[in-house]
Amino acid sequence: MEPPFIKFLGTAGARYVVAKQLRASGGIYIFGEGKRIILDPGPGTLVRCATSRPKIDITTLDGLILTHSHIDHSNDVNILIDGMTEGGFKKRGVLFAPRQAIEGDGAVVLPYLKGFLKAIIPLEERRSYELNGLRFHTSVRHRHPVETYGVKVELGGKIVSFMVDTRFFPELIESYMGSHILVINVVRYLPKGDEVMHLSIEDVKEIIRAIRPERTILTHFGMTMLRAGPWRVAEGLSEETGMEVIAARDGMRIEIP
């Protein structure tokens, strides 16, 4: 069996960066235990899958995970459901998403597509989930304008965690303890008050010093991060913390040892 890996289909993380496609916004492809999942399929995920090398065949996907309903994380969820189920002719695939993203006025999944799926499973904080042998856990609920959870996926005996959009708060650190690989959404280079509910590099320093993962990967960049140069920022963090920090780039594949 092919070893587990993750692939960054996109690394854009703010309205301007997404709108201008200064970085792609396709989410993250996860392969483990023979299962294929896409996390947070933002705008362009379908195209990124088709142009990936090697191509990612969305008809072979086993599931989708939405960490929250914002459009840069969920825009392509409907077309992926349609493709994954071959237009509903094959009832298959599982969608994991916060209840707010699948029910009520804030739902982002079209009603007619829901019946195409094998299951829709609402996410709740600090819970364990499984997709035919692939296990993952949710974090504490994030501080973000909509219902949001990070996920911690078991891949190859490692915990690969995705700390998605949130304002910093101390419980984040406890929630992600034990992560071997920590993928952090860092929209801002500098902090900008509590009204901007995204992490900055100062937050990242505190987080990785406390959690001490084997590797930290920065992604989901806004304009201030792009101007600062994500790779330069990551190198500076590595030197300052004494731990491995890298910046994701569109199309980057990370093997899980």
Side-chain angles (χ1 to χ4, degrees), residues 111-150:
Y112 85 92
L113 291 170
K114 293 181 178 179
F116 291 5
L117 292 160
K118 184 177 180 181
I120 299 176
I121 300 178
L123 295 179
E124 299 176 1
E125 68 176 342
R126 302 179 187 270
R127 294 284 300 274
S128 298
Y129 300 87
E130 183 176 349
L131 179 59
N132 298 328
L134 181 64
R135 297 179 177 86
F136 70 93
H137 318 272
T138 49
S139 69
V140 65
R141 180 169 174 166
H142 283 196
R143 305 286 173 85
H144 205 50
V146 296
E147 185 182 6
T148 305
Y149 307 105

Side-chain angles (χ1 to χ4, degrees), residues 170-187:
E171 292 82 0
L172 270 181
I173 289 172
E174 178 189 354
S175 187
Y176 286 89
M177 278 294 184
S179 301
H180 298 99
I181 298 174
L182 182 58
V183 180
I184 303 182
N185 286 11
V186 54
V187 170

Side-chain angles (χ1 to χ4, degrees), residues 7 9-10 12 18 21 24-30 37-49 58 61 63-82 84 94-98 101 108-109 164 220:
K7 184 170 186 175
L9 301 176
V18 173
Q21 286 293 283
S25 47
I28 298 175
Y29 179 70
I30 301 170
I37 293 178
I38 290 182
L39 174 75
D40 285 350
T45 302
L46 178 67
V47 174
R48 294 292 294 177
C49 288
I58 66 168
L61 291 176
L64 304 168
I65 300 175
L66 299 184
T67 63
H68 62 292
S69 59
H70 281 165
I71 198 164
D72 56 331
H73 294 255
S74 65
N75 186 81
D76 275 20
V77 65
N78 289 297
I79 190 61
L80 290 188
I81 292 172
D82 190 74
M84 181 168 61
V94 179
L95 171 66
F96 300 90
V108 295
V109 180
V164 297
H220 210 60

